[in-house]
């Protein structure tokens, strides 16, 4: 497991390389494997590498016959979108129809001050794992601190509302 994590961290350093896209394609292809363990590893890799283009594949995986694959897809969708629709593929498809064209970074910023504690906690976890981003954020911070944190994230990703 540690070697897989190290390999994914190394792959992530090539995010701006064409080879990074090839790696993502490879992981997406592994979702079609018959071995559920390989599917779970592929899902975890796609999530770790923040492959938002794989969301539709993860929604499909919610219908997999294997419960481990379904759960990995569910957890992955939560981590990528900061929303929890459980393993209900129809609810996820509805969410994707409404929000699929938005920037994933916007989902993160929106989750930072969401009413639901789970969304804020998912945002905090994501912020800890974004290379090059240092932000003082806690799910229960003051409004003033939250505004500063959101501005830092928006600047990091180069957008502003």
């Amino acid at each position: 497991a540690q070697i897989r994590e190290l390999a994914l961290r190394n792959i992530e350093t090539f995010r701006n390389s064409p080879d990074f896209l090839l790696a993502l394609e490879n992981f997406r292809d592994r979702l079609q494997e018959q071995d559920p363990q390989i599917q779970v590893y592929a899902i975890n890799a796609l999530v770790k590498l923040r492959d938002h283009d794989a969301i539709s594949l993860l929604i499909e995986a919610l219908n997999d016959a294997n419960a481990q694959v379904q759960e990995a897809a569910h957890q992955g969708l939560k981590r990528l979108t900061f929303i929890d629709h459980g393993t209900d593929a129809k609810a996820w498809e509805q969410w994707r129809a409404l929000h699929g064209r938005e920037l994933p970074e916007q989902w993160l910023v929106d989750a930072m001050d969401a009413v639901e504690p789970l969304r804020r906690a998912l945002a905090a976890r994501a912020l800890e794992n974004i290379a090059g981003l240092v932000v003082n954020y806690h799910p229960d911070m003051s409004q003033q601190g939250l505004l500063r944190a959101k501005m830092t994230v928006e600047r990091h990703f180069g957008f502003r509302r």
Side-chain angles (χ1 to χ4, degrees):
Q2 290 176 341
I3 291 174
R4 272 192 302 276
E5 280 293 313
L6 182 60
L8 289 174
R9 275 192 225 137
N10 285 328
I11 290 171
E12 193 168 22
T13 64
F14 294 97
R15 183 169 288 282
N16 296 322
S17 163
D19 292 334
F20 182 78
L21 297 176
L22 290 173
L24 292 180
E25 270 308 310
N26 185 29
F27 289 124
R28 290 178 196 144
D29 290 346
R30 296 295 152 257
L31 291 176
Q32 306 307 314
E33 296 281 340
Q34 295 301 313
D35 183 345
Q37 195 61 47
I38 291 174
Q39 291 175 291
V40 169
Y41 289 150
I43 289 168
N44 291 338
L46 291 167
V47 172
K48 174 75 175 163
L49 297 171
R50 297 188 319 276
D51 182 10
H52 296 96
D53 292 335
I55 287 175
S56 59
L57 297 172
L58 296 181
I59 292 171
E60 287 177 30
L62 293 172
N63 295 318
D64 194 272
N66 184 281
Q68 287 179 312
V69 173
Q70 291 174 11
E71 185 57 23
H74 168 225
Q75 294 303 319
L77 285 164
K78 279 189 346 188
R79 287 182 55 199
L80 288 174
T81 65
F82 315 103
I83 300 285
D84 188 2
H85 292 297
T87 56
D88 183 349
K90 187 173 183 173
W92 280 106
E93 281 294 348
Q94 290 172 343
W95 176 88
R96 190 170 72 94
L98 288 172
H99 301 283
R101 295 196 186 275
E102 297 171 1
L103 291 173
E105 294 83 2
Q106 189 62 56
W107 304 335
L108 172 60
V109 171
D110 290 345
M112 290 172 71
D113 65 355
V115 173
E116 305 92 340
L118 174 65
R119 290 188 64 204
R120 293 192 313 269
L122 289 167
R125 180 178 178 186
L127 289 168
E128 292 171 359
N129 294 308
I130 297 175
L133 175 62
V134 178
V135 60
N136 180 19
Y137 174 76
H138 186 275
D140 299 315
M141 67 191 321
S142 71
Q143 280 297 95
Q144 185 177 12
L146 175 63
L147 287 174
R148 279 194 304 269
K150 286 175 67 173
M151 285 175 46
T152 300
V153 173
E154 289 171 345
R155 265 194 315 273
H156 177 80
F157 289 114
F159 72 90
R160 220 174 134 95
R161 288 185 239 202

